[in-house]
Amino acid sequence: MLNIHNLSISFGGEYLFEEIAFRLNAGDRVGLVGKNGAGKSTMLKILSKEQEPDSGQIAMDKEVKIGFLKQDIDFVLGRTVLDESYEAFVEIKKIEREIEKINAQLAERTDYESESYNQLITDLSDHTHQYEIIGGYNYQGETERVLQGLGFVREDFDKLTDTFSGGWRMRIELAKLLLQNNDILLLDEPTNHLDIESIIWLENFLKNYPGVVVIVSHDKMFLDNVTNRTIEISLGRIYDYNKPYSKYLVLRKEIRDQQLAAQKNQSKQIEQTEKLIEKFRAKATKASMAQSLIKKLDKVERIEVDEDDNAVMNISFPISIQPGKVVIEAEKVGKKYGEKEILSDINLLVERGSKTAFVGQNGQGKSTLAKIIIDEISHTGALKLGHNVQIGYFAQNQSEYLDGELTIHDTMINAANEKTRSKVRDMLGAFLFRGDDVEKKVKVLSGGERNRLALCKLLLEPFNVLVMDEPTNHLDIKSKNILKEALKSFEGTLILVSHDRDFLQGLTNTVYEFKNKQIKEYLGDIDFYLEQRRVADLRDIEKKDKQTKLVSETKESAKRSYEDQKKLKSLNNKLSNVESKINKLEKEIKEIDLELAINYDQTIAAPNFFDTYQAKKDELASLMENWEILQEEIDTLS
């Protein structure tokens, strides 16, 4: 489907990747992985033809359609969620406009016998038939299904996209791509703005996607559940294996271990051969043997070991002072934004040393409660912090608070105090900002680099309670693993807002689900929560068993009604087409009859006159019979 051959691209004189090659085939679901800055997003831009490589070729089938979900999107203001989503159906919307245009003309005109009027009827029939073939009667229902899968509710459908945050707009853009039936889907961090339920829905959707899917993601569990192939970009090269991410890591380690063992054995053999050469050189009788060994050694192909980029962050979160046993206590806390109530009567008790996860659909109040805890926003009810509590806070958009015009070093120096100022260079080094890198301006950093800098800056202030809102956004998998281990070792109290199941696994011991303005406690980690939710869903199904028959009958009735409407519309179109042909034939026969009356001898002298004349009459009779059948079917359905 798509061939990459000897592709190279460089920035500032250094290659992101050099002379790489691979092929994408139908059914491939590729996880494109690598450290931040390795060139993953650049690769997607090249595949989508948004960016040209320095050298190499990309060959693909002529009719291949590519959909690309980027990190930054532009929206036309003034459209509703549904209207924006319907933009996915370019051909259907085009035919809809044509049908509306024809219907408007038919409503205005009264020259029913004219050729142009009959042509309009024919055009309407052709357009309607094509509309049905390309799914014109199904696209609205399919759009609603995908939007609901991605977390929208019906009340959202008629709201303007202007009123939604960037994350929700990204969901609309993702919905459009999923609805377009592209041959190749390129997805850059598709889970960044999705909650756990929407991620699970997207996983199931992509697992059944018939085309090619290429995903840049740092969500290990998402990659494992969706992909069947992994391409890692590392130090300018690619490593390509038909395995999901976790299995790929195991396989690559095995291969590298084999390479190391083979290289070690080869080095021993080379060393022994070199010793023999030195020994034989000293003896005149053995000189020819020494030359023979030298030639043999020159021909040996040295075994190379795949390079591995092992540079990782070095993080630890020391606690400042020991707080009291209860660190946070909330009683009947509520929050409204205008008329919209987000939280109502929330009671929460957080004890020292606990590690808590806030989960649930976006917009249910997770970030709102985090901001209430750090006293960033007003609220109703009472919330108090315990004795000696010092809170460190990492916001979901923490990196956006950084001044783009400052350098990395100046950002840290400005936030440091007398005690920490001398440690700034060492801290930056631990977060992989070394040497001249610290003089880079913040505005040129990638999303992952900004997140690393924001984490580093967080450590400048003392804390014993850490509240983190989506800290893993834009972090690569290795960096996430380092952060997770640091949080595991953190001896203070942790509150974590996250949708990343792999990151949460084994990290927290309590989960609070946010739903319908309330919170529900689950005493266990994220796996326990997900298992309990599945059980809860089964119980819901059991409760609804009694209603199943009624619902099924109602749906069947609605389905029949919908199918009858489709059939009626199709029959009416066919009837219009037949009527058009009847009018045309009657007009032609009438003209022939008139010519016979005026000039009989000359008219019948035309070649095959009677055969042609009779054929038109037979066709007219057949059309009239067909018209009667169609009319009876229409009367039955009406």
Side-chain angles (χ1 to χ4, degrees):
M1 187 175 282
L2 187 148
N3 268 316
I4 302 293
H5 183 64
N6 288 344
L7 204 69
S8 298
I9 192 163
S10 61
F11 288 102
E14 291 187 13
Y15 279 102
L16 269 180
F17 31 83
E18 184 177 11
E19 294 191 351
I20 62 173
F22 59 90
R23 177 179 172 81
L24 297 176
N25 302 301
D28 281 348
R29 296 190 299 277
V30 180
L32 186 61
V33 300
K35 292 183 66 174
N36 286 326
K40 304 183 296 296
S41 293
T42 300
M43 176 63 78
L44 291 188
K45 288 176 183 175
I46 291 171
L47 294 178
S48 69
K49 297 191 174 180
E50 276 201 5
Q51 186 171 331
E52 290 292 323
D54 294 341
S55 61
Q57 294 88 37
I58 301 177
M60 68 178 76
D61 300 338
K62 286 183 180 179
E63 301 302 319
V64 166
K65 292 194 298 180
I66 297 178
F68 183 20
L69 179 73
K70 297 179 283 188
Q71 288 291 337
D72 52 327
I73 53 174
D74 294 318
F75 263 90
V76 176
L77 301 180
R79 287 180 182 155
T80 66
V81 170
L82 273 182
D83 288 338
E84 183 62 44
S85 301
Y86 290 158
E87 290 299 307
F89 304 97
V90 177
E91 190 177 357
I92 287 176
K93 299 302 286 184
K94 182 181 177 183
I95 294 177
E96 267 187 359
R97 289 191 291 271
E98 290 295 327
I99 290 173
E100 287 174 8
K101 186 177 174 182
I102 293 171
N103 280 328
Q105 291 181 58
L106 289 174
E108 292 171 359
R109 294 175 60 162
T110 55
D111 54 335
Y112 309 120
E113 300 293 325
S114 70
E115 186 71 28
S116 59
Y117 187 89
N118 288 326
Q119 185 59 49
L120 282 176
I121 297 292
T122 303
D123 291 344
L124 179 63
S125 176
D126 292 342
H127 279 93
T128 305
H129 180 62
Q130 181 64 16
Y131 185 74
E132 185 173 0
I133 288 173
I134 63 174
Y137 297 115
N138 303 321
Y139 81 94
Q140 292 178 336
E142 183 66 11
T143 300
E144 292 182 13
R145 183 181 74 84
V146 170
L147 285 173
Q148 286 177 314
L150 291 174
F152 290 92
V153 294
R154 289 191 174 276
E155 290 75 21
D156 295 329
F157 291 171
D158 294 322
K159 292 178 182 175
L160 295 178
T161 58
D162 318 20
T163 62
F164 288 88
S165 66
W168 282 98
R169 291 189 191 184
M170 189 68 78
R171 292 188 189 213
I172 300 171
E173 193 66 16
L174 177 57
K176 286 161 62 178
L177 284 179
L178 299 182
L179 289 163
Q180 281 172 350
N181 294 323
N182 290 294
D183 301 296
I184 299 175
L185 264 184
L186 308 175
L187 305 176
D188 196 355
E189 296 287 3
T191 64
N192 259 5
H193 302 285
L194 300 182
D195 49 63
I196 291 172
E197 289 183 11
S198 298
I199 291 172
I200 293 171
W201 179 90
L202 180 61
E203 283 176 357
N204 291 325
F205 186 97
L206 293 177
K207 278 190 278 192
N208 298 310
Y209 199 79
V212 173
V213 184
V214 182
I215 304 166
V216 170
S217 178
H218 299 136
D219 186 332
K220 184 163 123 343
M221 191 176 288
F222 180 73
L223 289 173
D224 283 343
N225 289 342
V226 173
T227 63
N228 54 22
R229 180 178 171 189
T230 300
I231 297 177
E232 180 180 10
I233 302 175
S234 178
L235 301 173
R237 296 181 61 189
I238 65 165
Y239 300 91
D240 184 0
Y241 294 94
N242 290 321
K243 300 283 183 184
Y245 183 70
S246 291
K247 290 182 180 178
Y248 156 75
L249 288 180
V250 173
L251 184 60
R252 187 172 170 205
K253 184 180 183 303
E254 288 175 356
I255 291 170
R256 198 167 185 277
D257 288 345
Q258 290 168 5
Q259 289 174 339
L260 283 167
Q263 188 187 58
K264 190 175 180 180
N265 288 333
Q266 187 186 61
S267 296
K268 281 182 180 178
Q269 292 171 3
I270 290 170
E271 187 181 346
Q272 289 171 356
T273 304
E274 286 173 340
K275 283 180 180 178
L276 283 173
I277 291 169
E278 288 303 316
K279 185 178 178 181
F280 292 157
R281 271 177 175 165
K283 298 179 181 179
T285 56
K286 302 285 186 179
S288 60
M289 190 176 290
Q291 288 300 317
S292 176
L293 287 172
I294 289 170
K295 287 178 182 177
K296 184 180 177 182
L297 200 59
D298 288 340
K299 290 178 181 178
V300 172
E301 189 172 329
R302 306 297 169 108
I303 295 171
E304 293 184 0
V305 177
D306 293 342
E307 289 185 84
D308 204 2
D309 191 349
N310 288 314
V312 292
M313 294 188 295
N314 180 20
I315 315 175
S316 64
F317 296 104
I319 65 169
S320 51
I321 54 175
Q322 199 68 253
K325 185 179 179 183
V326 175
V327 295
I328 300 168
E329 189 174 1
E331 187 177 353
K332 293 187 177 180
V333 168
K335 178 62 184 175
K336 284 184 178 180
Y337 290 102
E339 294 298 314
K340 187 173 183 180
E341 188 174 35
I342 304 296
L343 297 171
S344 174
D345 289 333
I346 300 298
N347 296 308
L348 177 69
L349 186 73
V350 179
E351 294 188 344
R352 180 182 62 219
S354 62
K355 288 184 166 64
T356 304
F358 285 178
V359 302
Q361 289 188 332
N362 290 347
Q364 293 293 326
K366 303 185 300 294
S367 296
T368 298
L369 186 55
K371 289 175 182 176
I372 289 173
I373 289 170
I374 65 162
D375 199 24
E376 186 176 295
I377 57 175
S378 61
H379 58 90
T380 58
L383 186 140
K384 62 180 180 179
L385 302 181
H387 179 63
N388 280 342
V389 166
Q390 295 177 328
I391 294 182
Y393 176 56
F394 187 92
Q396 185 174 157
N397 57 343
Q398 187 74 41
S399 60
E400 294 176 14
Y401 293 118
L402 302 173
D403 187 339
E405 295 303 321
L406 290 179
T407 65
I408 293 171
H409 185 259
D410 288 344
T411 298
M412 291 290 288
I413 289 293
N414 291 353
N417 55 33
E418 289 182 11
K419 289 182 179 180
T420 56
R421 196 165 285 125
S422 61
K423 300 177 183 177
V424 162
R425 284 268 178 181
D426 291 338
M427 291 174 69
L428 286 171
F431 281 79
L432 304 181
F433 297 112
R434 295 164 185 160
D436 294 338
D437 284 348
V438 300
E439 300 305 326
K440 286 182 181 178
K441 286 195 173 182
V442 171
K443 65 183 178 183
V444 303
L445 301 180
S446 69
E449 289 169 328
R450 286 186 179 217
N451 249 29
R452 292 209 314 266
L453 179 57
L455 280 169
C456 189
K457 187 181 172 187
L458 174 67
L459 293 176
L460 290 169
E461 295 292 331
F463 55 81
N464 48 32
V465 175
L466 187 51
V467 180
M468 307 189 86
D469 192 352
E470 302 289 5
T472 61
N473 279 356
H474 305 296
L475 287 182
D476 58 54
I477 293 173
K478 284 185 178 179
S479 297
K480 283 201 320 187
N481 290 339
I482 296 296
L483 176 60
K484 181 174 179 176
E485 290 305 312
L487 292 174
K488 275 185 178 180
S489 302
F490 177 51
E491 295 178 359
T493 306
L494 176 65
I495 294 176
L496 192 58
V497 180
S498 179
H499 62 257
D500 191 324
R501 292 160 295 166
D502 179 67
F503 185 71
L504 289 173
Q505 269 184 330
L507 180 54
T508 60
N509 47 35
T510 306
V511 174
Y512 282 99
E513 180 186 38
F514 286 64
K515 192 174 185 180
N516 298 327
K517 307 168 195 172
Q518 301 292 314
I519 61 174
K520 182 178 180 181
E521 184 181 44
Y522 293 82
L523 296 174
D525 69 357
I526 193 65
D527 289 335
F528 175 77
Y529 160 73
L530 290 172
E531 182 58 38
Q532 290 298 304
R533 275 301 308 271
R534 281 193 285 271
V535 171
D537 290 344
L538 286 173
R539 284 177 183 160
D540 287 343
I541 291 168
E542 287 168 8
K543 289 176 186 176
K544 292 173 184 174
D545 274 350
K546 294 177 183 178
Q547 303 172 16
T548 301
K549 188 177 179 182
L550 179 61
V551 171
S552 178
E553 288 173 356
T554 305
K555 283 185 177 179
E556 187 60 36
S557 174
K559 184 179 177 184
R560 281 200 304 271
S561 174
Y562 174 67
E563 288 174 350
D564 286 349
Q565 288 175 26
K566 280 179 64 179
K567 188 175 181 182
L568 185 62
K569 191 163 186 138
S570 177
L571 287 170
N572 277 318
N573 289 332
K574 287 178 182 177
L575 188 71
S576 297
N577 196 20
V578 169
E579 286 175 344
S580 174
K581 289 177 180 178
I582 288 171
N583 288 336
K584 186 179 179 183
L585 274 173
E586 284 180 336
K587 186 177 179 182
E588 288 175 0
I589 291 170
K590 189 175 181 181
E591 287 173 355
I592 294 171
D593 288 341
L594 185 63
E595 287 178 16
L596 284 171
I598 296 172
N599 197 343
Y600 179 82
D601 292 334
Q602 190 174 343
T603 303
I604 63 171
N608 301 319
F609 168 76
F610 285 108
D611 290 341
T612 304
Y613 185 49
Q614 189 59 46
K616 287 183 183 293
K617 285 192 170 185
D618 291 344
E619 185 181 357
L620 180 61
S622 175
L623 285 169
M624 292 298 292
E625 188 177 334
N626 194 12
W627 184 90
E628 288 179 13
I629 294 169
L630 287 170
Q631 191 61 59
E632 283 179 11
E633 287 188 53
I634 289 169
D635 291 342
T636 303
L637 290 172
S638 298

